[in-house]
Amino acid sequence: MSDAFTTRVLNVTTGSAEKVLDLTDDCQSFLREAAAGRDGLLNVFVPHATAGIAILETGAGSDNDLLAALHSLLPADDRWQHRHGSPGHGRDHVLPALVPPHATLPVVRGQLELGTWQSVCLVDTNRDNPDRQVRLSFLG
């Protein structure tokens, strides 16, 4: 494969609690090698049926606000038809409809083009699966 397309898989542990995990530094590190100063697109993809990728501000409470909003929209109770796993796990399978499992972002001169307060985040509400993979792909 040419250097126009490069991909890497990150192995991430999210733990046993709902989590918004900032992946921005991992994305920038990948781009330093893969983009090498070029323009292109970064695709971030999580190949799991119960996690998503979000672009949002972290550290000022927005990450916790997102989890609270998701908990309000998708309560962890017995209303879900998908019932295996921990109580309310069915909602985790609905999450990717609201927080998609991917994002495609512009890269300019090898740098991720995010707004001042934007971060690339893995959103994981599934307490049953603490081990995740995130695929980073650069298309130059």
Side-chain angles (χ1 to χ4, degrees), residues 56-72:
L56 74 153
E57 179 181 9
T58 60
S62 297
D63 37 356
N64 290 329
D65 289 341
L66 173 60
L67 291 175
L70 289 171
H71 194 69
S72 293

Side-chain angles (χ1 to χ4, degrees), residues 72-93:
S72 293
L73 289 170
L74 306 171
D77 58 23
D78 64 357
R79 74 184 68 199
W80 308 101
Q81 292 181 37
H82 185 111
R83 293 184 185 268
H84 76 83
S86 61
H89 175 66
R91 72 164 187 144
D92 299 327
H93 287 274

Side-chain angles (χ1 to χ4, degrees), residues 3-8 27-38 42 110 136-140:
D3 65 352
F5 181 81
T6 306
T7 191
R8 173 182 301 157
C27 292
Q28 294 285 29
S29 176
F30 169 69
L31 289 171
R32 275 192 290 280
E33 296 173 29
R38 296 176 295 151
L42 174 68
L136 305 177
S137 300
F138 174 71
L139 178 61

Side-chain angles (χ1 to χ4, degrees), residues 15-27:
S16 60
E18 298 176 358
K19 183 170 277 190
V20 174
L21 183 65
D22 191 337
L23 301 172
T24 309
D25 289 343
D26 295 303
C27 292

Side-chain angles (χ1 to χ4, degrees), residues 44-59:
V44 183
F45 175 71
V46 56
H48 298 281
T50 58
I53 300 295
I55 309 300
L56 74 153
E57 179 181 9
T58 60

Side-chain angles (χ1 to χ4, degrees), residues 81-115:
Q81 292 181 37
H82 185 111
R83 293 184 185 268
H84 76 83
S86 61
H89 175 66
R91 72 164 187 144
D92 299 327
H93 287 274
V94 177
L95 173 77
L98 301 175
V99 181
H102 60 87
T104 301
L105 305 162
V107 176
V108 177
R109 292 183 298 281
Q111 296 293 314
L112 194 54
E113 285 292 301
L114 292 171

